[in-house]
Amino acid sequence: MTVVFARVDEGLGEFALRPLDPDADAALLHQWVTHPKAAFWLMQDADEARVAEEYQRIAAHPHHDAYLGLWRGSPAFLAERYDPAHVELVGLYDHQPGDVGMHFLCAPVGTPVHGFTRAVLTTVMAWLFADSTTRRVVVEPDVRNTAVHALNAAVGFEVVGPIAKPEKDALLSVCTRAQFEAATTRTEGAPA
């Protein structure tokens, strides 16, 4: 499949995104979303058919899409992009023109790579902001997911506050292009 975005991380090399194939990628995604580290993805008990069905639904949706992330050419993460005026956050926050919603999930690994998750998030954010119509990225992770809250802050997200979604209590956060650029262009060793 065609790569739609690529970025080279200074320390970790090339990251890229390609459209997800719900059928061909289902077995791989099933391993990822049912892994204990993916508990906040809310698919722990899903079988492979349910995973394929969920991503077929996303692929067919006019306001939601999914991409397979590659690291050095191999599948390593999942990214979803959605329009929060139509999906996930309808009526739950003050939507503004140019808002784009996002989810990301890193594949489980035996040996963690230092800085990998931040590089994935930076890649996903750079991809979203490569679209000139994107003004803000909006996320709604589980309030208990403190690790992702710290990562979000590191790339420029500002907490708006908690919101109640049907499936979870979420921490709504937003990041403008300027906030992202300021957070990711700081020199190494500078205070965050």
Side-chain angles (χ1 to χ4, degrees):
M1 276 198 179
T2 305
V3 166
V4 296
F5 181 81
R7 170 186 165 270
V8 176
D9 180 87
E10 191 175 297
L12 296 175
E14 185 178 72
F15 288 82
L17 289 150
R18 68 150 171 89
L20 183 79
D21 181 327
D23 297 318
D25 296 328
L28 179 65
L29 289 181
H30 178 259
Q31 292 173 16
W32 295 1
V33 301
T34 59
H35 190 276
K37 290 185 176 182
F40 291 114
W41 209 253
L42 304 176
M43 295 189 81
Q44 293 292 286
D45 297 325
D47 61 13
E48 189 175 317
R50 180 168 162 235
V51 171
E53 182 180 289
E54 174 65 12
Y55 284 95
Q56 289 163 354
R57 184 189 64 74
I58 289 171
H61 199 289
H63 302 289
H64 195 171
D65 45 19
Y67 294 81
L68 190 71
L70 309 172
W71 178 44
R72 300 176 182 167
S74 296
F77 62 99
L78 172 65
E80 294 180 18
R81 172 180 64 185
Y82 64 90
D83 182 343
H86 299 279
V87 180
E88 295 280 353
L89 293 170
V90 179
L92 295 177
Y93 87 112
D94 182 22
H95 177 267
Q96 296 180 18
D99 280 359
V100 175
M102 177 270 292
H103 299 137
F104 80 98
L105 175 70
C106 291
V109 294
T111 305
V113 175
H114 181 72
F116 180 79
T117 305
R118 185 172 177 168
V120 165
L121 180 54
T122 300
T123 299
V124 172
M125 294 290 287
W127 163 62
L128 294 172
F129 282 124
D131 180 341
S132 63
T133 65
T134 300
R135 295 181 62 199
R136 296 191 314 176
V137 177
V138 181
V139 293
E140 29 68 43
D142 192 294
V143 294
R144 299 167 297 164
N145 193 345
T146 56
V148 86
H149 301 318
L151 280 165
N152 287 343
V155 298
F157 278 93
E158 185 175 283
V159 172
V160 174
I163 57 170
K165 294 186 67 193
E167 75 281 10
K168 66 184 177 185
D169 289 328
L171 189 64
L172 180 69
S173 299
V174 298
C175 182
T176 65
R177 183 183 308 275
Q179 288 169 314
F180 173 66
E181 289 172 357
T184 56
T185 57
R186 290 187 181 114
T187 57
E188 292 296 320

